[in-house]
Amino acid sequence: MTPLAGSPNTPLEPPERHSTRQRTVSPSGQAARKSARIIGTGSYLPEKVLTNSDLEKMVDTSDEWITTRTGIKERRIASPEEPTSSLATEAARRAIEDAGIAAEEIQLIIMATFTGDVLMPATACLVQKNLGATRAAAFDLSAACTGFIYGLSVAKQFVLSGFYDTVLVVAAEKLSCVTDWTDRNTCVLFGDGAGAAVVSSQGEGPRIIGEYLASDGSIYELLILPGGGSLHPPTHQTVDQGLHFLKMSGREVFKHAVTCMVDGAQKLITQHNLSPQDIRLLVPHQANKRIISEVGKRLGIPAERIYVNIERYGNMSAATTSVGMDEAFRSNQFNPGDKILLVAFGGGFTWGSVLLEW
Ligand code: UT7
């Protein structure tokens, strides 16, 4: 088996971009309608790197604490000139190029984010404009860190129903804008980035063979960005109270994160009559390396079959799984039939998983 780039203790630069996927159409010219495949992926990380030692100068923390408690060494921070739509557009361009299609062929753009450029219109519309995807409908999807999983699932339904042939799913976050840089409990955890996937009934690439989506709104307050909406419209007071920053009950979220991700992964493993040994690669949401290790342990999937890049990027919410999947595709050799399992959890609470077959 090829060693995994970015696996535990193997910090590597993001892999070179190269595509082995090619677009194909059946001899009759008719594309098969009964499968939804990921025919192209891409990701984009802003240039600026914020290291743990940089954070030591900003809040009362240490590289040692952050590394041992979270696994994070550094994260990317977008510039003031780079709103979320810019990160998303670049990741999307790379995915479209990888798929070997034209932007005009995209019929729907689903954008997973909670740090859109503005509250209205949807950031998906700005991405549509930037890409020149003139035939695409576009909407944002709000499922926090599980947004990419939800997005892939929605894309699959559109493709399988035959309503659309080609859907772009983009997950992008500029979490640095909603981070309280004076709060050491949260500011060490997050980063900015974007990942994208083209889902289509035509072309080659791993097939989406299963998905599982779940939510539990009864614990929504554990992870919340309270200000700026209709409950706490922005006022001087809400800004003074810091309600426009992400709030998290870390320990509680940790426990739910483990339970939810194990549940999400196990549901698909069971539904598809698989065993943990059948999972060639697990691509989990990256909120904390200890969460990932515990999930792997409970599922019985060893570290060498779990993709980890948290040391380089921290937690980028919905972008995390999309960037992880893109990097994992580029740095691994997969064989026909290999199963890849994506799993995530996040604010809502939402959680879920997607099973791919190469
Ligand atoms: O995708 C979004 C979902 N988010 C997550 O999944 C995050 C889940 N939670 C976590 O990853 C962990 O709970 C944290 C990394 C947020 C915190 O780790 P922990 O081991 O649960 O630490 P804690 O909150 O129990 O705090 C332990 C101590 C506290 O000090 P005292 O009260 O014991 O004296 C904190 O004040 O660590 C202290 N602490 C820090 N110390 C140095 C908290 N943050 C820091 C810090 N540097 N950055």
Side-chain angles (χ1 to χ4, degrees), residues 29-296:
Q30 296 292 310
R33 290 234 162 227
K34 290 295 174 202
S35 67
R37 293 176 184 273
I38 296 181
I39 64 163
T41 63
S43 54
Y44 174 75
L45 286 312
E47 252 178 52
K48 183 179 171 191
V49 174
L50 185 73
T51 64
N52 290 350
S53 51
D54 293 331
L55 281 164
E56 285 175 350
K57 294 169 200 131
M58 297 162 62
V59 287
D60 181 15
T61 191
S62 65
D63 174 44
E64 198 268 333
W65 192 94
I66 303 171
T67 306
T68 54
R69 304 310 293 165
T70 73
I72 302 166
K73 296 297 285 181
E74 59 186 42
R75 66 288 291 145
R76 302 297 180 92
I77 305 293
S79 74
E81 294 75 36
E82 278 184 312
T84 301
S85 62
S86 299
L87 311 181
T89 301
E90 193 49 44
R93 277 206 181 105
R94 293 175 183 190
I96 291 167
E97 187 191 329
D98 190 38
I101 63 168
E104 293 81 2
E105 293 179 67
I106 293 165
Q107 294 163 308
L108 173 66
I109 299 173
I110 302 171
M111 167 99 191
T113 189
F114 69 88
T115 53
D117 291 20
V118 291
L119 281 180
M120 195 278 287
T123 302
C125 295
L126 306 180
V127 174
Q128 181 268 339
K129 171 196 70 112
N130 293 347
L131 292 173
T134 46
R135 296 188 185 160
F139 66 83
D140 284 0
L141 180 156
S142 178
C145 306
T146 321
F148 186 61
I149 302 285
Y150 269 62
L152 284 180
S153 172
V154 175
K156 178 189 162 187
Q157 314 313 318
F158 272 115
V159 167
L160 287 192
S161 73
F163 197 81
Y164 291 127
D165 282 330
T166 304
V167 179
L168 173 70
V169 184
V170 198
E173 300 284 14
K174 189 171 177 179
L175 294 183
S176 57
C177 284
V178 294
T179 298
D180 180 353
W181 291 103
T182 65
D183 175 16
R184 70 174 185 175
N185 290 298
T186 52
C187 76
V188 302
L189 304 173
F190 302 115
D192 302 335
V198 179
V199 179
S200 182
S201 59
Q202 304 175 46
E204 284 192 355
R207 207 158 52 95
I208 303 175
I209 60 171
E211 68 275 344
Y212 167 71
L213 305 179
S215 74
D216 181 359
S218 68
I219 46 174
Y220 78 97
E221 282 174 317
L222 295 180
L223 184 51
I224 186 166
L225 204 169
S230 57
L231 183 61
H232 301 292
T235 60
H236 288 293
Q237 201 185 4
T238 63
V239 173
D240 290 345
Q241 291 169 343
L243 298 191
H244 54 296
F245 293 133
L246 258 187
K247 316 279 177 206
M248 181 174 68
S249 307
R251 265 188 217 177
E252 284 304 300
V253 172
F254 190 111
K255 285 183 224 155
H256 288 290
V258 173
T259 319
C260 292
M261 295 227 285
V262 169
D263 173 59
Q266 263 169 352
K267 282 274 185 334
L268 286 186
I269 290 173
T270 308
Q271 272 172 20
H272 289 262
N273 296 319
L274 301 171
S275 74
Q277 290 73 32
D278 297 320
I279 302 303
R280 166 69 176 80
L281 192 67
L282 180 72
V283 183
H285 178 52
Q286 322 259 322
N288 188 317
K289 202 162 172 179
R290 291 185 290 134
I291 295 176
I292 297 170
S293 303
E294 186 58 28
V295 168

Side-chain angles (χ1 to χ4, degrees), residues 283-353:
V283 183
H285 178 52
Q286 322 259 322
N288 188 317
K289 202 162 172 179
R290 291 185 290 134
I291 295 176
I292 297 170
S293 303
E294 186 58 28
V295 168
K297 199 167 97 187
R298 291 195 194 182
L299 289 173
I301 299 179
E304 63 270 19
R305 284 195 278 120
I306 304 178
Y307 191 80
V308 177
N309 61 9
I310 191 172
E311 67 278 2
R312 286 181 276 137
Y313 307 136
N315 178 355
M316 302 178 289
S317 185
T320 291
T321 350
S322 55
V323 171
M325 184 182 82
D326 178 49
E327 291 190 352
F329 282 5
R330 291 174 197 291
S331 57
N332 284 269
Q333 295 293 324
F334 293 105
N335 295 311
D338 277 353
K339 307 283 187 303
I340 300 144
L341 184 56
L342 314 179
V343 62
F345 77 97
F349 266 43
T350 55
W351 68 100
S353 47

